[in-house]
Amino acid sequence: MELKTPLYETHVQHKGKIVPFAGYLLPVQYGSGVIAEHMAVRTACGIFDVSHMGEILCEGRDAVKNLNFLLTNDYTVMADGQARYSPMCNESGGVVDDLIVYKVREDHYLIVVNAANKDKDFVWMKEHAFGEVSFTDISASVAQIALQGPKAEAILRKLVPDEMIPEKYYSCNFDGRIGGIRCMISRTGYTGEDGFEFYLAAEEAQRLWELLLETGKEEGVICCGLGARDTLRLEASMPLYGHEMTDDITPFEAGLGYFVRMDKGDFIGRAALEERGAPKQKRVGLRVTGRGIIREHCSVYADGKQIGVTTSGTHCPYLKAPLAMALVDCAYTEPGTQVEADVRGRRVEAEVVRLPFYKRGQ
Amino acid sequence: MKHPENLVYSRSHEWVKFIDETTALIGITDYAQDALGDLVFVNLPEVGDEVTSGEPFGDVESVKAVSDIFSPVTGTVAQINEDLLDAPENLNEDPYGAWMIRVEHITDKEELLDAAAYIAFYESEEE
């Protein structure tokens, strides 16, 4: 039985095409379609329901020590209101989940995790807790709405005083108030564009959704579904758990080495990552040079042998090209390397390209 | 959603327009294109290929998924709509203008529905 987010009725009213995803009923697209929604986010603005994401509080005198042990990134020095991404590794160096930690204030942190992994993550965190710390799953009472695109800031400016808007990417304001609705305003997102994510009480979600939609009319804001969320993140080359990272794929292989601080002291998975040494395979971008679309789980070949497998892939609407990400043997990661992918029994030619495929302002 | 009276329809959501008894154009219905979403790639057979009633002759891809397209008739591919290879969005914008293949020497066909029966069919399927 799938759960409904606090915005379920809103999606139905706006004619969203509802599908089950990570245990929730969510819109995969609205009437305008995935391509129009994708383009709206690249050129104007889109609004997404991401209430399925999990929120876990980590609190107590040993909160930061616990975070530093659970996660690969370093949380020692952090300002209040700052956000920091990290993989969370298992003992063998594979990835349990990837997540974002917000520092609320000293000894108080908010962890945002993937919907499909939430229960697993919560158990994992509690199992590994030590000292004075508590983990509390508050997901059921929290709604999350993302406003993404080059016009997102202009829309928000119509609703709140300038000083309420977090200036820096990956920072937030916990005391936001939009049209009388209390919310946390975070300058983050999963689209490759500037934008905001609003965390608020579930019962206020519908009102904020309609307010943002109404306020952003002039700027061209439209409702966007999971389909566009996936094409946007792929085009921006952002990894997705279960695709670019799994229990068996390390952060180094996934190209997330920047978020692994080997020098910070011990953490879960550190010993295994050290022992494994330099990765033998790495995440690369593939651009189709032949005819077709390369999706996930396609074998990748070069020099007459299999060198890897794709982890995500589809036609990317803004770049108007079929693109894929793949995990391949390190000898084949140089941009320009010619490869082939097996697409349902047919070989499709592709070329290794530098990631990200798309970066805003370029 | 439009389903012209002068066409016949398969339960796998293709339309068939008979030009004469053994020649027909085949495409996908308005209902199908709407359900599939924005199409970004089309795979068609080659001229001269045999197609068989009830078996796939090609596929279409949206950003989300690949879907087989089934032939409602048995015969030989006489022509393919090459425009679709560069403009798969025509299937969304004009599903009855954007025919996919022309089949000749048709020797067999599945039981096809008229417009009213086709609408009744997919409406019952949705319930």
PDB file of all heavy atoms in Angstrom, chain A residues 193-220:
ATOM      1  N   GLU A 193      20.029  23.634 -11.380  1.00  0.00           N
ATOM      2  CA  GLU A 193      19.702  25.064 -11.461  1.00  0.00           C
ATOM      3  C   GLU A 193      19.767  25.681 -10.068  1.00  0.00           C
ATOM      4  O   GLU A 193      19.778  24.978  -9.067  1.00  0.00           O
ATOM      5  CB  GLU A 193      18.291  25.255 -12.016  1.00  0.00           C
ATOM      6  CG  GLU A 193      18.107  24.797 -13.449  1.00  0.00           C
ATOM      7  CD  GLU A 193      19.060  25.471 -14.431  1.00  0.00           C
ATOM      8  OE1 GLU A 193      19.345  26.668 -14.260  1.00  0.00           O
ATOM      9  OE2 GLU A 193      19.514  24.784 -15.356  1.00  0.00           O
ATOM     10  N   ASP A 194      19.760  27.021 -10.043  1.00  0.00           N
ATOM     11  CA  ASP A 194      19.555  27.704  -8.773  1.00  0.00           C
ATOM     12  C   ASP A 194      18.134  27.375  -8.320  1.00  0.00           C
ATOM     13  O   ASP A 194      17.269  27.059  -9.140  1.00  0.00           O
ATOM     14  CB  ASP A 194      19.697  29.217  -8.994  1.00  0.00           C
ATOM     15  CG  ASP A 194      19.613  30.007  -7.686  1.00  0.00           C
ATOM     16  OD1 ASP A 194      19.866  29.410  -6.614  1.00  0.00           O
ATOM     17  OD2 ASP A 194      19.298  31.208  -7.743  1.00  0.00           O
ATOM     18  N   GLY A 195      17.895  27.454  -7.031  1.00  0.00           N
ATOM     19  CA  GLY A 195      16.537  27.195  -6.564  1.00  0.00           C
ATOM     20  C   GLY A 195      16.486  26.955  -5.078  1.00  0.00           C
ATOM     21  O   GLY A 195      17.501  27.064  -4.381  1.00  0.00           O
ATOM     22  N   PHE A 196      15.289  26.642  -4.618  1.00  0.00           N
ATOM     23  CA  PHE A 196      15.053  26.508  -3.186  1.00  0.00           C
ATOM     24  C   PHE A 196      14.283  25.242  -2.878  1.00  0.00           C
ATOM     25  O   PHE A 196      13.530  24.748  -3.705  1.00  0.00           O
ATOM     26  CB  PHE A 196      14.249  27.717  -2.680  1.00  0.00           C
ATOM     27  CG  PHE A 196      14.952  29.019  -2.947  1.00  0.00           C
ATOM     28  CD1 PHE A 196      14.699  29.716  -4.127  1.00  0.00           C
ATOM     29  CD2 PHE A 196      15.891  29.511  -2.058  1.00  0.00           C
ATOM     30  CE1 PHE A 196      15.375  30.908  -4.402  1.00  0.00           C
ATOM     31  CE2 PHE A 196      16.565  30.692  -2.323  1.00  0.00           C
ATOM     32  CZ  PHE A 196      16.307  31.396  -3.495  1.00  0.00           C
ATOM     33  N   GLU A 197      14.502  24.751  -1.660  1.00  0.00           N
ATOM     34  CA  GLU A 197      13.680  23.677  -1.144  1.00  0.00           C
ATOM     35  C   GLU A 197      13.081  24.184   0.158  1.00  0.00           C
ATOM     36  O   GLU A 197      13.796  24.700   1.014  1.00  0.00           O
ATOM     37  CB  GLU A 197      14.512  22.410  -0.953  1.00  0.00           C
ATOM     38  CG  GLU A 197      14.948  21.845  -2.310  1.00  0.00           C
ATOM     39  CD  GLU A 197      15.901  20.656  -2.232  1.00  0.00           C
ATOM     40  OE1 GLU A 197      16.919  20.737  -1.526  1.00  0.00           O
ATOM     41  OE2 GLU A 197      15.626  19.648  -2.900  1.00  0.00           O
ATOM     42  N   PHE A 198      11.771  24.043   0.268  1.00  0.00           N
ATOM     43  CA  PHE A 198      11.053  24.526   1.456  1.00  0.00           C
ATOM     44  C   PHE A 198      10.618  23.328   2.281  1.00  0.00           C
ATOM     45  O   PHE A 198       9.975  22.427   1.753  1.00  0.00           O
ATOM     46  CB  PHE A 198       9.834  25.348   1.044  1.00  0.00           C
ATOM     47  CG  PHE A 198      10.152  26.454   0.079  1.00  0.00           C
ATOM     48  CD1 PHE A 198       9.832  26.325  -1.268  1.00  0.00           C
ATOM     49  CD2 PHE A 198      10.788  27.611   0.509  1.00  0.00           C
ATOM     50  CE1 PHE A 198      10.133  27.338  -2.171  1.00  0.00           C
ATOM     51  CE2 PHE A 198      11.093  28.629  -0.390  1.00  0.00           C
ATOM     52  CZ  PHE A 198      10.772  28.487  -1.735  1.00  0.00           C
ATOM     53  N   TYR A 199      10.966  23.337   3.553  1.00  0.00           N
ATOM     54  CA  TYR A 199      10.527  22.299   4.478  1.00  0.00           C
ATOM     55  C   TYR A 199       9.481  22.918   5.388  1.00  0.00           C
ATOM     56  O   TYR A 199       9.720  23.990   5.953  1.00  0.00           O
ATOM     57  CB  TYR A 199      11.698  21.803   5.329  1.00  0.00           C
ATOM     58  CG  TYR A 199      12.785  21.101   4.544  1.00  0.00           C
ATOM     59  CD1 TYR A 199      13.711  21.838   3.813  1.00  0.00           C
ATOM     60  CD2 TYR A 199      12.884  19.718   4.550  1.00  0.00           C
ATOM     61  CE1 TYR A 199      14.716  21.202   3.095  1.00  0.00           C
ATOM     62  CE2 TYR A 199      13.894  19.069   3.839  1.00  0.00           C
ATOM     63  CZ  TYR A 199      14.803  19.816   3.116  1.00  0.00           C
ATOM     64  OH  TYR A 199      15.791  19.182   2.415  1.00  0.00           O
ATOM     65  N   LEU A 200       8.357  22.254   5.523  1.00  0.00           N
ATOM     66  CA  LEU A 200       7.273  22.851   6.307  1.00  0.00           C
ATOM     67  C   LEU A 200       6.345  21.781   6.860  1.00  0.00           C
ATOM     68  O   LEU A 200       6.467  20.602   6.501  1.00  0.00           O
ATOM     69  CB  LEU A 200       6.493  23.855   5.453  1.00  0.00           C
ATOM     70  CG  LEU A 200       5.669  23.298   4.289  1.00  0.00           C
ATOM     71  CD1 LEU A 200       4.615  24.316   3.911  1.00  0.00           C
ATOM     72  CD2 LEU A 200       6.515  22.985   3.071  1.00  0.00           C
ATOM     73  N   ALA A 201       5.420  22.228   7.736  1.00  0.00           N
ATOM     74  CA  ALA A 201       4.451  21.302   8.318  1.00  0.00           C
ATOM     75  C   ALA A 201       3.563  20.750   7.204  1.00  0.00           C
ATOM     76  O   ALA A 201       3.134  21.485   6.311  1.00  0.00           O
ATOM     77  CB  ALA A 201       3.599  22.021   9.360  1.00  0.00           C
ATOM     78  N   ALA A 202       3.301  19.444   7.278  1.00  0.00           N
ATOM     79  CA  ALA A 202       2.536  18.765   6.233  1.00  0.00           C
ATOM     80  C   ALA A 202       1.219  19.484   5.936  1.00  0.00           C
ATOM     81  O   ALA A 202       0.836  19.646   4.771  1.00  0.00           O
ATOM     82  CB  ALA A 202       2.272  17.318   6.641  1.00  0.00           C
ATOM     83  N   GLU A 203       0.540  19.964   6.979  1.00  0.00           N
ATOM     84  CA  GLU A 203      -0.797  20.539   6.764  1.00  0.00           C
ATOM     85  C   GLU A 203      -0.770  21.891   6.048  1.00  0.00           C
ATOM     86  O   GLU A 203      -1.790  22.377   5.588  1.00  0.00           O
ATOM     87  CB  GLU A 203      -1.602  20.600   8.073  1.00  0.00           C
ATOM     88  CG  GLU A 203      -0.915  21.224   9.265  1.00  0.00           C
ATOM     89  CD  GLU A 203       0.042  20.271  10.012  1.00  0.00           C
ATOM     90  OE1 GLU A 203       0.411  19.202   9.481  1.00  0.00           O
ATOM     91  OE2 GLU A 203       0.439  20.620  11.133  1.00  0.00           O
ATOM     92  N   GLU A 204       0.404  22.493   5.912  1.00  0.00           N
ATOM     93  CA  GLU A 204       0.511  23.781   5.214  1.00  0.00           C
ATOM     94  C   GLU A 204       0.952  23.625   3.751  1.00  0.00           C
ATOM     95  O   GLU A 204       1.010  24.595   3.001  1.00  0.00           O
ATOM     96  CB  GLU A 204       1.540  24.687   5.925  1.00  0.00           C
ATOM     97  CG  GLU A 204       1.220  25.008   7.365  1.00  0.00           C
ATOM     98  CD  GLU A 204       0.310  26.208   7.495  1.00  0.00           C
ATOM     99  OE1 GLU A 204      -0.551  26.420   6.623  1.00  0.00           O
ATOM    100  OE2 GLU A 204       0.481  26.950   8.488  1.00  0.00           O
ATOM    101  N   ALA A 205       1.279  22.401   3.375  1.00  0.00           N
ATOM    102  CA  ALA A 205       1.924  22.169   2.075  1.00  0.00           C
ATOM    103  C   ALA A 205       1.079  22.643   0.898  1.00  0.00           C
ATOM    104  O   ALA A 205       1.574  23.306  -0.014  1.00  0.00           O
ATOM    105  CB  ALA A 205       2.259  20.689   1.914  1.00  0.00           C
ATOM    106  N   GLN A 206      -0.193  22.303   0.946  1.00  0.00           N
ATOM    107  CA  GLN A 206      -1.069  22.651  -0.170  1.00  0.00           C
ATOM    108  C   GLN A 206      -1.136  24.168  -0.368  1.00  0.00           C
ATOM    109  O   GLN A 206      -1.080  24.657  -1.495  1.00  0.00           O
ATOM    110  CB  GLN A 206      -2.466  22.101   0.118  1.00  0.00           C
ATOM    111  CG  GLN A 206      -3.340  22.056  -1.096  1.00  0.00           C
ATOM    112  CD  GLN A 206      -4.422  20.993  -0.970  1.00  0.00           C
ATOM    113  OE1 GLN A 206      -4.468  20.224  -0.004  1.00  0.00           O
ATOM    114  NE2 GLN A 206      -5.303  20.953  -1.949  1.00  0.00           N
ATOM    115  N   ARG A 207      -1.209  24.895   0.750  1.00  0.00           N
ATOM    116  CA  ARG A 207      -1.318  26.352   0.680  1.00  0.00           C
ATOM    117  C   ARG A 207      -0.046  26.962   0.088  1.00  0.00           C
ATOM    118  O   ARG A 207      -0.114  27.855  -0.757  1.00  0.00           O
ATOM    119  CB  ARG A 207      -1.567  26.903   2.093  1.00  0.00           C
ATOM    120  CG  ARG A 207      -2.346  28.203   2.111  1.00  0.00           C
ATOM    121  CD  ARG A 207      -3.179  28.337   3.380  1.00  0.00           C
ATOM    122  NE  ARG A 207      -2.359  28.479   4.585  1.00  0.00           N
ATOM    123  CZ  ARG A 207      -1.813  29.636   4.983  1.00  0.00           C
ATOM    124  NH1 ARG A 207      -1.967  30.732   4.273  1.00  0.00           N
ATOM    125  NH2 ARG A 207      -1.103  29.690   6.085  1.00  0.00           N
ATOM    126  N   LEU A 208       1.120  26.462   0.500  1.00  0.00           N
ATOM    127  CA  LEU A 208       2.370  27.005  -0.041  1.00  0.00           C
ATOM    128  C   LEU A 208       2.497  26.685  -1.531  1.00  0.00           C
ATOM    129  O   LEU A 208       2.921  27.519  -2.329  1.00  0.00           O
ATOM    130  CB  LEU A 208       3.589  26.459   0.729  1.00  0.00           C
ATOM    131  CG  LEU A 208       4.945  27.005   0.252  1.00  0.00           C
ATOM    132  CD1 LEU A 208       5.017  28.529   0.435  1.00  0.00           C
ATOM    133  CD2 LEU A 208       6.110  26.338   0.973  1.00  0.00           C
ATOM    134  N   TRP A 209       2.121  25.474  -1.900  1.00  0.00           N
ATOM    135  CA  TRP A 209       2.177  25.057  -3.317  1.00  0.00           C
ATOM    136  C   TRP A 209       1.389  26.025  -4.190  1.00  0.00           C
ATOM    137  O   TRP A 209       1.887  26.535  -5.193  1.00  0.00           O
ATOM    138  CB  TRP A 209       1.619  23.635  -3.431  1.00  0.00           C
ATOM    139  CG  TRP A 209       1.642  23.054  -4.808  1.00  0.00           C
ATOM    140  CD1 TRP A 209       0.697  23.226  -5.792  1.00  0.00           C
ATOM    141  CD2 TRP A 209       2.649  22.196  -5.373  1.00  0.00           C
ATOM    142  NE1 TRP A 209       1.052  22.523  -6.916  1.00  0.00           N
ATOM    143  CE2 TRP A 209       2.235  21.884  -6.681  1.00  0.00           C
ATOM    144  CE3 TRP A 209       3.839  21.659  -4.878  1.00  0.00           C
ATOM    145  CZ2 TRP A 209       2.980  21.050  -7.524  1.00  0.00           C
ATOM    146  CZ3 TRP A 209       4.576  20.837  -5.720  1.00  0.00           C
ATOM    147  CH2 TRP A 209       4.155  20.545  -7.024  1.00  0.00           C
ATOM    148  N   GLU A 210       0.141  26.280  -3.791  1.00  0.00           N
ATOM    149  CA  GLU A 210      -0.727  27.152  -4.600  1.00  0.00           C
ATOM    150  C   GLU A 210      -0.206  28.587  -4.602  1.00  0.00           C
ATOM    151  O   GLU A 210      -0.279  29.272  -5.621  1.00  0.00           O
ATOM    152  CB  GLU A 210      -2.168  27.106  -4.086  1.00  0.00           C
ATOM    153  CG  GLU A 210      -2.828  25.728  -4.193  1.00  0.00           C
ATOM    154  CD  GLU A 210      -2.936  25.180  -5.616  1.00  0.00           C
ATOM    155  OE1 GLU A 210      -2.759  25.956  -6.588  1.00  0.00           O
ATOM    156  OE2 GLU A 210      -3.179  23.961  -5.752  1.00  0.00           O
ATOM    157  N   LEU A 211       0.338  29.021  -3.466  1.00  0.00           N
ATOM    158  CA  LEU A 211       0.862  30.379  -3.372  1.00  0.00           C
ATOM    159  C   LEU A 211       2.062  30.568  -4.317  1.00  0.00           C
ATOM    160  O   LEU A 211       2.162  31.568  -5.027  1.00  0.00           O
ATOM    161  CB  LEU A 211       1.276  30.683  -1.919  1.00  0.00           C
ATOM    162  CG  LEU A 211       1.866  32.062  -1.653  1.00  0.00           C
ATOM    163  CD1 LEU A 211       0.851  33.170  -1.972  1.00  0.00           C
ATOM    164  CD2 LEU A 211       2.326  32.190  -0.193  1.00  0.00           C
ATOM    165  N   LEU A 212       2.961  29.597  -4.339  1.00  0.00           N
ATOM    166  CA  LEU A 212       4.144  29.687  -5.207  1.00  0.00           C
ATOM    167  C   LEU A 212       3.726  29.644  -6.679  1.00  0.00           C
ATOM    168  O   LEU A 212       4.243  30.384  -7.517  1.00  0.00           O
ATOM    169  CB  LEU A 212       5.107  28.533  -4.908  1.00  0.00           C
ATOM    170  CG  LEU A 212       5.816  28.581  -3.543  1.00  0.00           C
ATOM    171  CD1 LEU A 212       6.521  27.264  -3.264  1.00  0.00           C
ATOM    172  CD2 LEU A 212       6.801  29.741  -3.475  1.00  0.00           C
ATOM    173  N   LEU A 213       2.769  28.801  -6.977  1.00  0.00           N
ATOM    174  CA  LEU A 213       2.298  28.647  -8.352  1.00  0.00           C
ATOM    175  C   LEU A 213       1.646  29.937  -8.839  1.00  0.00           C
ATOM    176  O   LEU A 213       1.894  30.396  -9.956  1.00  0.00           O
ATOM    177  CB  LEU A 213       1.295  27.484  -8.390  1.00  0.00           C
ATOM    178  CG  LEU A 213       1.176  26.647  -9.652  1.00  0.00           C
ATOM    179  CD1 LEU A 213       2.525  26.182 -10.157  1.00  0.00           C
ATOM    180  CD2 LEU A 213       0.287  25.433  -9.368  1.00  0.00           C
ATOM    181  N   GLU A 214       0.833  30.520  -7.974  1.00  0.00           N
ATOM    182  CA  GLU A 214       0.120  31.761  -8.306  1.00  0.00           C
ATOM    183  C   GLU A 214       1.115  32.915  -8.444  1.00  0.00           C
ATOM    184  O   GLU A 214       1.088  33.662  -9.417  1.00  0.00           O
ATOM    185  CB  GLU A 214      -0.898  32.042  -7.176  1.00  0.00           C
ATOM    186  CG  GLU A 214      -1.800  33.233  -7.399  1.00  0.00           C
ATOM    187  CD  GLU A 214      -2.644  33.121  -8.668  1.00  0.00           C
ATOM    188  OE1 GLU A 214      -3.015  31.978  -9.024  1.00  0.00           O
ATOM    189  OE2 GLU A 214      -2.894  34.161  -9.307  1.00  0.00           O
ATOM    190  N   THR A 215       2.050  33.010  -7.500  1.00  0.00           N
ATOM    191  CA  THR A 215       3.018  34.111  -7.506  1.00  0.00           C
ATOM    192  C   THR A 215       3.959  34.028  -8.701  1.00  0.00           C
ATOM    193  O   THR A 215       4.396  35.042  -9.223  1.00  0.00           O
ATOM    194  CB  THR A 215       3.845  34.089  -6.197  1.00  0.00           C
ATOM    195  OG1 THR A 215       2.955  34.012  -5.089  1.00  0.00           O
ATOM    196  CG2 THR A 215       4.719  35.319  -6.073  1.00  0.00           C
ATOM    197  N   GLY A 216       4.250  32.819  -9.111  1.00  0.00           N
ATOM    198  CA  GLY A 216       5.222  32.635 -10.187  1.00  0.00           C
ATOM    199  C   GLY A 216       4.626  32.561 -11.579  1.00  0.00           C
ATOM    200  O   GLY A 216       5.327  32.259 -12.553  1.00  0.00           O
ATOM    201  N   LYS A 217       3.339  32.828 -11.669  1.00  0.00           N
ATOM    202  CA  LYS A 217       2.634  32.737 -12.960  1.00  0.00           C
ATOM    203  C   LYS A 217       3.350  33.522 -14.061  1.00  0.00           C
ATOM    204  O   LYS A 217       3.625  33.005 -15.135  1.00  0.00           O
ATOM    205  CB  LYS A 217       1.214  33.271 -12.796  1.00  0.00           C
ATOM    206  CG  LYS A 217       0.154  32.361 -13.379  1.00  0.00           C
ATOM    207  CD  LYS A 217      -1.224  32.949 -13.159  1.00  0.00           C
ATOM    208  CE  LYS A 217      -2.283  31.853 -13.244  1.00  0.00           C
ATOM    209  NZ  LYS A 217      -3.561  32.285 -12.706  1.00  0.00           N
ATOM    210  N   GLU A 218       3.618  34.786 -13.728  1.00  0.00           N
ATOM    211  CA  GLU A 218       4.275  35.687 -14.676  1.00  0.00           C
ATOM    212  C   GLU A 218       5.624  35.140 -15.136  1.00  0.00           C
ATOM    213  O   GLU A 218       6.018  35.291 -16.288  1.00  0.00           O
ATOM    214  CB  GLU A 218       4.545  37.002 -13.940  1.00  0.00           C
ATOM    215  CG  GLU A 218       3.999  38.236 -14.565  1.00  0.00           C
ATOM    216  CD  GLU A 218       4.348  39.416 -13.671  1.00  0.00           C
ATOM    217  OE1 GLU A 218       3.921  39.404 -12.489  1.00  0.00           O
ATOM    218  OE2 GLU A 218       5.079  40.300 -14.132  1.00  0.00           O
ATOM    219  N   GLU A 219       6.361  34.526 -14.205  1.00  0.00           N
ATOM    220  CA  GLU A 219       7.691  33.989 -14.512  1.00  0.00           C
ATOM    221  C   GLU A 219       7.609  32.660 -15.242  1.00  0.00           C
ATOM    222  O   GLU A 219       8.620  32.121 -15.678  1.00  0.00           O
ATOM    223  CB  GLU A 219       8.501  33.811 -13.228  1.00  0.00           C
ATOM    224  CG  GLU A 219       9.044  35.105 -12.643  1.00  0.00           C
ATOM    225  CD  GLU A 219       7.986  35.891 -11.883  1.00  0.00           C
ATOM    226  OE1 GLU A 219       6.886  35.344 -11.655  1.00  0.00           O
ATOM    227  OE2 GLU A 219       8.248  37.060 -11.534  1.00  0.00           O
ATOM    228  N   GLY A 220       6.410  32.112 -15.337  1.00  0.00           N
ATOM    229  CA  GLY A 220       6.247  30.867 -16.105  1.00  0.00           C
ATOM    230  C   GLY A 220       6.457  29.609 -15.302  1.00  0.00           C
ATOM    231  O   GLY A 220       6.811  28.569 -15.865  1.00  0.00           O
TER     232      GLY A 220
END
